[in-house]
Amino acid sequence: MTRYSTKLFYKYYKQWISLYKENAIRPITLDKYYLAQRKLRELAPDLHLNQLNRRTYQDLINRYAETHERKTVLDFHHHLRASLVDAVDDGLLEKDPTRRIIIKGITKKQRKKTKYLSMYELQTLLKHLNLGPELNWDWFILLVAKTGLRYAEALGLTPEDFNFETQELTINKSWDYKSKHGKFQPTKNKSSNRTVMLDWKTMNQFQQLIKDKQSHQPIFVPRGKRVYNSTINNILNRYCKACEIPVISIHGLRHTHASLLLYEGVSIASVAKWLGHANTTTTQQTYIHIIQELENKDTDKVLQHLSKLA
């Protein structure tokens, strides 16, 4: 089989995407092909085309299936298979290595605990909060739920970060809560420096809550005291159980915020910018199940529209 192509599979696949898919499919679909290409490179960086046969391809699919549900594995297989069928037609491969492949995957029972809440569940949680005239961790939970800030970013907020006229929050630092004495530190990456909007009601509430706070001091961190991640998560745990909704972490509120934006039709690019992700790839990888669900709904809409045409 040495007379066939010895090009690395992931490199061939990337060139194939560029040749056959660029400007031919929707950007969101194209991104899925490139997402598959990056995963292929991660799983099989040294796999050459002339090494591909039914066994080596099955091994590749099996390794991907170890951490993904069957539906996701099937999508990954379909993305790769299209390029390999062309490789056979072009004489780069002797046989189609994807024939009679077995698709596996983890079951839903094996998936990790809930990462985000539905709109109803989030509303139930927020109604349970004790939002009094003094700042407390319930106000912190509300703010993270409404902005999607990272835990350390929310801890690093100071009064000067609030612009009450434009209803904007400036995110340009975070709080090193892991340090014994606590201190300001840079955000996770350059893209994390951003502004996010808040509704006028929440802004007015915080204007009253922080009016007596020092402008350069974090509003949620008591001076000289250390703040632990577990403190907030324990509070959330109690509240979720009391509300009879899935238990999530403070980071789960960030996932909830992002997922609700996606369900409302906000673009992946806008969500990535809002969350402070370095690129849309991170957003796609984190919310791939939601993106696929939305794409299925789009397909249903297209079919419904086509059925109305004479």
Side-chain angles (χ1 to χ4, degrees):
M1 196 172 174
T2 55
R3 67 183 184 276
Y4 296 99
S5 177
T6 58
K7 182 183 288 292
L8 286 168
F9 183 15
Y10 78 85
K11 288 188 176 181
Y12 161 77
Y13 184 57
K14 185 174 184 180
Q15 292 174 347
W16 179 86
I17 297 172
S18 177
L19 181 61
Y20 291 104
K21 298 301 178 181
E22 289 277 1
N23 301 318
I25 56 179
R26 293 189 307 161
I28 188 172
T29 306
L30 181 64
D31 287 340
K32 290 182 180 179
Y33 276 92
Y34 278 117
L35 188 61
Q37 191 272 336
R38 288 188 290 272
K39 194 63 181 179
L40 172 61
R41 181 176 182 176
E42 177 185 327
L43 289 170
D46 302 316
L47 181 62
H48 296 259
L49 284 179
N50 68 323
Q51 297 173 317
L52 273 170
N53 53 46
R54 190 181 170 208
R55 291 188 63 184
T56 56
Y57 186 78
Q58 183 71 66
D59 178 67
L60 169 65
I61 294 299
N62 287 351
R63 284 187 285 125
Y64 184 78
E66 289 176 359
T67 55
H68 295 82
E69 290 182 12
R70 189 179 184 281
K71 173 63 171 63
T72 307
V73 178
L74 186 61
D75 290 340
F76 180 66
H77 162 64
H78 284 161
H79 281 107
L80 298 184
R81 184 179 184 278
S83 72
L84 294 176
V85 170
D86 282 347
V88 174
D89 290 344
D90 294 338
L92 302 177
L93 284 175
E94 181 181 16
K95 297 179 181 179
D96 179 4
T98 68
R99 287 183 66 252
R100 297 163 55 198
I101 286 298
I102 306 300
I103 302 299
K104 305 175 183 180
I106 62 175
T107 64
K108 289 186 178 181
K109 291 182 179 180
Q110 292 174 296
R111 290 179 63 183
K112 295 180 180 179
K113 65 179 182 180
T114 304
K115 286 186 176 182
Y116 58 88
L117 302 175
S118 67
M119 175 64 83
Y120 171 77
E121 291 165 342
L122 178 61
Q123 289 176 334
T124 301
L125 172 64
L126 297 184
K127 289 178 182 177
H128 186 78
L129 299 179
N130 178 24
L131 303 174
E134 301 291 334
L135 275 178
N136 58 17
W137 291 122
D138 289 34
W139 282 109
F140 184 88
I141 291 170
L142 175 72
L143 188 65
V144 172
K146 288 202 170 191
T147 59
L149 296 184
R150 297 181 178 92
Y151 175 65
E153 291 173 345
L155 284 180
L157 288 174
T158 64
E160 64 181 2
D161 296 325
F162 289 76
N163 188 323
F164 298 109
E165 293 183 3
T166 62
Q167 297 177 215
E168 290 180 323
L169 269 180
T170 298
I171 314 302
N172 55 19
K173 58 189 175 302
S174 63
W175 186 256
D176 183 9
Y177 62 92
K178 295 181 180 179
S179 172
K180 185 175 182 180
H181 300 290
K183 59 183 178 180
F184 288 114
Q185 64 180 2
T187 53
K188 186 174 182 179
N189 52 55
K190 187 177 180 180
S191 301
S192 296
N193 294 324
R194 64 199 189 280
T195 58
V196 298
M197 299 288 295
L198 262 177
D199 61 279
W200 66 268
K201 180 181 178 181
T202 306
M203 267 296 189
N204 286 342
Q205 290 171 324
F206 270 88
Q207 188 169 21
Q208 294 302 313
L209 289 166
I210 66 176
K211 63 182 180 180
D212 297 325
K213 300 286 185 179
Q214 295 184 17
S215 61
H216 299 292
Q217 291 297 317
I219 63 175
F220 287 109
V221 182
R223 183 185 289 271
K225 292 188 177 181
R226 190 173 180 182
V227 179
Y228 295 91
N229 186 289
S230 58
T231 300
I232 319 301
N233 284 331
N234 288 339
I235 294 173
L236 261 178
N237 187 298
R238 294 201 312 271
Y239 288 177
C240 289
K241 289 181 178 178
C243 295
E244 298 183 343
I245 60 176
V247 175
I248 61 169
S249 64
I250 191 68
H251 196 69
L253 288 178
R254 175 174 164 85
H255 285 310
T256 297
H257 181 80
S259 66
L260 293 178
L261 291 181
L262 289 169
Y263 279 125
E264 286 298 318
V266 179
S267 70
I268 296 175
S270 295
V271 173
K273 184 177 180 181
W274 187 269
L275 294 179
H277 286 164
N279 51 60
T280 58
T281 301
T282 303
T283 316
Q284 290 169 330
Q285 290 176 332
T286 306
Y287 304 103
I288 184 65
H289 296 292
I290 296 172
I291 293 170
Q292 288 175 338
E293 181 180 337
L294 293 174
E295 189 172 55
N296 290 337
K297 289 182 180 179
D298 286 344
T299 301
D300 292 339
K301 291 179 182 177
V302 170
L303 293 176
Q304 289 174 11
H305 170 71
L306 292 177
S307 68
K308 297 176 183 178
L309 298 177

